[in-house]
Amino acid sequence: MIQRPRGTRDLLPPETCLWQAVEGIAREVFGAFGGEEIRTPVFEATELFVRSVGETTDIVHKEMYTFPDRKGRSLTLRPEGTAGVARAWIENGLGDRSHPLRLYYLGPMFRYERMQHGRYRQFAQIGLEILGADTPLADAELIAAMHEFFVRLGFSDLVIHLNNLGDPEDRVRYQEAIRAALAPRRAELCSDCQRRLDENPLRILDCKVPSCQAVAADVPPMDAVAGEGSRGHVVRVEAHLRRLGIPYVRNERLVRGLDYYLRTVFEVVSPALGANTVLCGGGRYDRLIADLGGPAIPGVGFAIGEDRLIEVLPEAFRESVLSRPKLYLVPLGEAAQAAVLALALGWVREGVPLEIEATGRSLKAALKRADREGFRAVAIVGDDELQKDSVSVRDLAAGSQTSVPSTELPRWWHELIGRPAEGR
Ligand code: AMP
């Protein structure tokens, strides 16, 4: 037996209905804010991620799927989406378009993660980027669009954790400040953080190891070191969020795992799910495109972890998607079998979702199955019905049966599902 690789999953129906529904709402909401979809390759030159995400980050350091192709070029399965969008912006001359550009993407990402619940080696993200606007309003718009997406899914208790990461100039000073503060306590840090102390001290602040957290608690917040520019920027973002009533907290320990962020960074957590369930992460990255060899175009974006999102979807949303009504079309006898596809096609074209009984079940067995599988109604076509150009329809919720002309079936169906169904 060949098995799927560790850390990957098969997404099966009916769960895939939830994925489609969530993706549909993402397209709708982000599209309504002027967002357009971008699709970039799932593999890129390794160099792209080393230069954007950052050489010393966990992602690049130990989580990338990197391999030489047959000509010996180093390629990497994308661990995140923003770097590819930035590369595509430069390579396709998107700078010629009118800005800001709002680009969203949906698709698989790959990270060689240690196995734990909710962490996969192939996982999906839904992301939105606003390119070409450096204002606090753009950050707030991005967060508002994201919040609206979550609200449409029925989340009501989400909190946005927000921080100021400062400008790159501030960061150099801040890294030094952390290093100076923590060097005498090196022995108290985990082995990863001992490496971070040399390479990227900022990341010590969001280490999940309790002893590291205790040590990090003594480090002054970034905001205390940051310049006026970034501090004023994030304060204005906060004012927008307050005006919209979007709940947020300032989290001085939030640094995010990617080097390209500056100024505003944020994560979305659900207190009901525990503070470690991060549904989304994002931030501003005004130097990324320039660092990759393009012009100085500012950007801000986020990525939602779709796997985790699906796992914690509000029950009402799950229910509304998974209980969509369907008609069970049962042909009885040979003449009905011959005619049933043409009937089905006509009804499908008029928006009736149906399933044909294609195994030759008896009426009794078919009705039993209809109950078991939760069909909303059954349409029975036999010799009698064919002769009269009609169909016997059974409303399973009401337990009643009538006959309707076959051309009238779509109207009957739409009326039926327009009415609240008792019992289901
Ligand atoms: P990041 O790019 O690390 O900020 O991730 C953004 C979001 O993607 C996170 O908040 C998670 O919800 C999700 N995510 C990241 N890595 C994984 C993974 N290995 N498995 C599942 N979801 C992930």
Side-chain angles (χ1 to χ4, degrees):
M1 250 301 279
I2 299 169
Q3 294 179 328
R4 59 177 185 266
R6 264 173 88 79
T8 65
R9 301 195 293 159
D10 299 308
L11 301 177
L12 307 173
E15 204 202 335
T16 41
C17 294
L18 297 172
W19 287 71
Q20 289 181 339
V22 160
E23 289 162 12
I25 289 181
R27 292 174 191 284
E28 209 177 291
V29 173
F30 304 152
F33 279 89
E36 301 170 287
E37 184 178 359
I38 182 166
R39 302 188 189 196
T40 64
V42 293
F43 59 88
E44 297 268 6
T46 301
E47 185 65 14
L48 174 65
F49 303 112
V50 174
R51 277 176 54 191
S52 56
V53 175
E55 195 144 21
T56 62
T57 59
D58 283 358
I59 293 177
V60 170
H61 191 72
K62 53 187 186 187
E63 294 174 358
M64 292 210 301
Y65 275 95
T66 297
F67 57 96
D69 73 1
R70 287 174 186 276
K71 290 263 166 65
R73 289 170 286 237
S74 181
L75 300 177
T76 293
L77 299 184
R78 62 181 184 191
E80 57 95 54
T82 304
V85 172
R87 195 240 347 108
W89 188 95
I90 300 170
E91 193 167 345
N92 297 285
L94 293 187
D96 294 343
R97 308 242 184 131
S98 163
H99 278 62
L101 269 180
R102 296 166 176 92
L103 300 173
Y104 69 82
Y105 61 84
L106 308 93
M109 307 292 160
F110 306 85
R111 293 183 197 173
Y112 196 92
E113 297 262 13
R114 250 170 300 182
M115 297 307 296
Q116 49 177 301
H117 181 72
R119 293 238 148 230
Y120 306 102
R121 291 181 177 174
Q122 175 175 339
F123 59 99
Q125 286 186 339
I126 302 176
L128 174 65
E129 320 279 359
I130 302 182
L131 296 163
D134 64 2
T135 59
L137 177 59
D139 303 36
E141 175 193 319
L142 182 91
I143 293 173
M146 174 200 72
H147 188 257
E148 179 63 14
F149 167 75
F150 283 117
V151 166
R152 295 265 184 110
L153 297 176
F155 286 97
S156 57
D157 62 345
L158 296 179
V159 178
I160 292 155
H161 285 227
L162 186 103
N163 196 16
N164 174 19
L165 263 197
D167 284 315
E169 303 72 43
D170 305 330
R171 190 125 93 223
V172 175
R173 272 185 291 134
Y174 192 47
Q175 301 265 41
E176 278 320 308
I178 301 174
R179 207 172 264 139
L182 298 188
R185 305 179 66 180
R186 172 180 280 270
E188 295 168 59
L189 298 170
C190 73
S191 60
D192 273 339
C193 281
Q194 293 191 4
R195 174 176 58 79
R196 289 175 185 138
L197 190 59
D198 300 322
E199 294 180 352
N200 191 354
L202 196 64
R203 291 304 314 279
I204 298 173
L205 298 190
D206 74 348
C207 181
K208 300 290 181 278
V209 175
S211 57
C212 296
Q213 287 184 342
V215 173
D218 296 338
V219 173
M222 176 71 189
D223 218 40
V225 182
E228 201 35 59
S230 70
R231 278 174 34 203
H233 183 95
V234 177
V235 164
R236 285 185 196 98
V237 175
E238 288 178 308
H240 282 296
L241 297 183
R242 276 198 302 276
R243 272 193 291 272
L244 290 171
I246 294 179
Y248 74 90
V249 294
R250 205 29 121 90
N251 178 350
E252 306 286 5
R253 302 288 144 204
L254 180 66
V255 299
R256 309 270 306 124
L258 303 91
D259 274 358
Y260 52 64
Y261 287 123
L262 46 78
R263 298 196 167 191
T264 319
V265 287
F266 59 92
E267 286 185 347
V268 177
V269 299
S270 161
L273 304 169
N276 286 335
T277 305
V278 178
L279 291 177
C280 173
R284 178 159 281 286
Y285 50 84
D286 294 349
R287 310 280 169 96
L288 173 60
I289 290 181
D291 286 349
L292 291 174
I297 286 292
V300 61
F302 63 72
I304 295 165
E306 195 175 358
D307 302 75
R308 208 166 294 174
L309 176 71
I310 301 276
E311 275 165 21
V312 300
L313 270 181
E315 195 46 42
F317 184 82
R318 291 183 79 88
E319 181 67 21
S320 75
V321 172
L322 294 177
S323 65
R324 294 210 170 126
K326 244 185 336 188
L327 178 76
Y328 189 24
L329 173 49
V330 183
L332 297 175
E334 267 192 30
Q337 299 249 356
V340 73
L341 275 176
L343 283 173
L345 263 179
W347 296 342
V348 163
R349 283 182 188 142
E350 298 206 44
V352 181
L354 55 78
E355 259 182 48
I356 299 170
E357 167 47 50
T359 66
R361 277 188 179 81
S362 69
L363 180 58
K364 194 169 154 214
L367 289 175
K368 235 166 139 180
R369 173 169 187 263
D371 256 336
R372 202 173 57 233
E373 298 294 318
F375 283 94
R376 178 67 184 83
V378 184
I380 305 155
V381 185
D383 293 339
D384 275 4
E385 285 86 356
L386 279 181
Q387 223 148 57
K388 290 186 275 179
D389 238 346
S390 71
V391 50
S392 299
V393 285
R394 187 183 278 245
D395 173 350
L396 290 175
S400 58
Q401 184 166 323
T402 54
S403 174
V404 297
S406 41
T407 52
E408 288 295 307
L409 182 118
R411 190 208 305 253
W412 176 85
W413 170 261
H414 291 301
E415 258 173 35
L416 180 74
I417 59 168
R419 284 201 306 270
E422 325 91 51
R424 271 203 200 282

